[in-house]
């Protein structure tokens, strides 16, 4: 069976979405800032909607996943330019592990799938941050090169201010949301499930990727300061 994770927006309006599901009689449960939607007619058919704009599907076809994503577009905040996706298969086994993108679940308990989903959702969310920073670096990498080559930045004061604004917005948008990559509060209540999350986070290399993300944010901060110094120099 298939398991797919998507990040489609900077956030979902979770409470209104939950109320909409309740109005139409859907089988849903709210776990802190995560909605669990049970897909009718499936042996295992689960959808987990995370408040930070990620969705994880268990036991559904690609067509079903895309259909359900389309149905919640009215509850998205700031849809991303490129949807981040990750795909796995899963089976029920004797022990929990992930091998070559196959998730082996220790049981059929929905909370086990939710624990793993936390890691999968964080990974695709982190992927959107990584993509945004790659674009920022590609658009600004000529600036330090110009400074090293010519001793100055060949931009007007207006262009420098615009670049500083772009860098500030990009850095702040990530800094404001990067806390979603911490260990979820869900595991304060369900501590026995945290090993499943840790296994997933380790397989997806979340800790190292977050460290690299923070290093790149530091580089953007230095570039912002470099532009500010150049602006002051031109003014003087």
């Amino acid at each position: 069976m298939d398991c797919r994770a998507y990040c489609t927006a900077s956030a979902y309006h979770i409470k209104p979405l939950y109320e909409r599901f309740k109005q139409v009689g859907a089988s849903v449960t709210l776990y802190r800032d995560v909605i669990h939607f049970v897909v009718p007619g499936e042996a295992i058919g689960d959808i987990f909607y995370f408040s930070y704009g990620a969705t994880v599907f268990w036991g559904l076809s690609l067509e079903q996943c895309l259909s359900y994503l389309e149905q919640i577009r009215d509850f998205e905040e700031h849809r991303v330019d490129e949807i981040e996706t990750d795909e796995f298969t899963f089976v029920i086994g004797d022990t929990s592990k992930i091998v070559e993108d196959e998730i082996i679940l220790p049981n059929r308990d929905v909370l086990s799938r939710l624990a793993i989903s936390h890691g999968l959702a964080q990974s695709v969310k982190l992927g959107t941050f990584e993509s945004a920073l790659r674009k920022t670096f590609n658009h600004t990498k000529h600036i330090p090169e110009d400074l090293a080559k010519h001793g100055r930045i060949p931009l007007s004061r207006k262009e420098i201010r615009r670049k500083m604004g772009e860098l500030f917005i990009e850095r702040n948008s990530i800094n404001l949301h990067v806390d979603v990559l911490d260990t979820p509060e869900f595991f304060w209540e369900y501590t026995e499930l945290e090993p499943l999350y840790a296994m997933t986070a380790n397989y997806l290399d979340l800790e190292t990727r977050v460290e690299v993300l923070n290093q790149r944010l530091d580089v953007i901060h230095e570039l912002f300061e470099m532009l500010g110094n150049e602006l002051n120099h031109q003014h003087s």
Side-chain angles (χ1 to χ4, degrees), residues 70-123:
E70 190 64 28
Q71 292 174 31
I72 64 163
R73 288 196 64 161
D74 289 344
F75 299 90
E76 293 178 340
E77 182 177 326
H78 303 306
R79 188 172 178 83
V80 298
D81 295 331
E82 296 179 15
I83 294 177
E84 191 73 23
T85 308
D86 217 345
E87 298 184 2
F88 299 83
T89 57
F90 73 94
V91 296
I92 310 296
D94 297 326
T95 185
S96 55
K97 59 183 176 179
I98 306 176
V99 181
E100 295 181 352
D101 289 352
E102 180 177 66
I103 301 168
I104 301 174
L105 295 167
N107 50 52
R108 291 181 174 271
D109 187 353
V110 67
L111 291 181
S112 295
R113 295 194 288 281
L114 175 53
I116 293 173
S117 295
H118 272 287
L120 302 180
Q122 286 181 328
S123 181

Side-chain angles (χ1 to χ4, degrees), residues 4-199:
R4 294 182 174 87
Y6 298 84
C7 186
T8 66
S10 66
Y12 293 145
H13 299 291
I14 284 292
K15 294 295 175 62
L17 179 58
Y18 177 71
E19 292 301 325
R20 172 65 64 84
F21 284 145
K22 295 293 288 184
Q23 287 173 6
V24 299
S27 177
V28 289
T29 305
L30 186 62
Y31 297 96
R32 291 184 179 267
D33 292 327
V34 184
I35 295 174
H36 172 222
F37 178 99
V38 178
V39 179
E42 301 288 342
I44 292 181
D46 300 293
I47 308 175
F48 297 102
Y49 299 99
F50 292 79
S51 61
Y52 49 81
T55 306
V56 180
F57 298 89
W58 293 82
L60 303 186
S61 68
L62 175 61
E63 292 74 18
Q64 287 175 301
C65 294
L66 296 178
S67 174
Y68 277 107
L69 285 176
E70 190 64 28
Q71 292 174 31
I72 64 163
R73 288 196 64 161
D74 289 344
F75 299 90
E76 293 178 340
E77 182 177 326
H78 303 306
R79 188 172 178 83
V80 298
D81 295 331
E82 296 179 15
I83 294 177
E84 191 73 23
T85 308
D86 217 345
E87 298 184 2
F88 299 83
T89 57
F90 73 94
V91 296
I92 310 296
D94 297 326
T95 185
S96 55
K97 59 183 176 179
I98 306 176
V99 181
E100 295 181 352
D101 289 352
E102 180 177 66
I103 301 168
I104 301 174
L105 295 167
N107 50 52
R108 291 181 174 271
D109 187 353
V110 67
L111 291 181
S112 295
R113 295 194 288 281
L114 175 53
I116 293 173
S117 295
H118 272 287
L120 302 180
Q122 286 181 328
S123 181
V124 289
K125 183 65 175 181
L126 180 55
T128 64
F129 292 156
E130 292 165 338
S131 296
L133 285 184
R134 274 196 298 271
K135 289 181 180 178
T136 300
F137 276 113
N138 288 336
H139 291 156
T140 58
K141 64 181 180 182
H142 68 281
I143 294 175
E145 293 171 357
D146 288 337
L147 185 61
K149 188 175 182 179
H150 304 292
R152 62 185 182 83
I153 299 173
L155 297 173
S156 69
R157 292 173 66 186
K158 182 177 180 180
E159 289 171 328
I160 289 176
R161 288 195 185 95
R162 184 181 295 118
K163 284 292 182 186
M164 289 178 70
E166 291 171 359
L167 290 174
F168 183 81
I169 291 171
E170 192 63 61
R171 191 185 69 188
N172 270 27
S173 67
I174 292 176
N175 278 332
L176 286 172
H177 297 97
V178 76
D179 62 327
V180 303
L181 303 177
D182 297 337
T183 300
E185 294 180 0
F186 170 80
F187 298 106
W188 296 357
E189 186 175 351
Y190 298 94
T191 54
E192 72 280 5
L193 296 172
E194 191 167 350
L196 288 174
Y197 165 75
M199 171 193 73

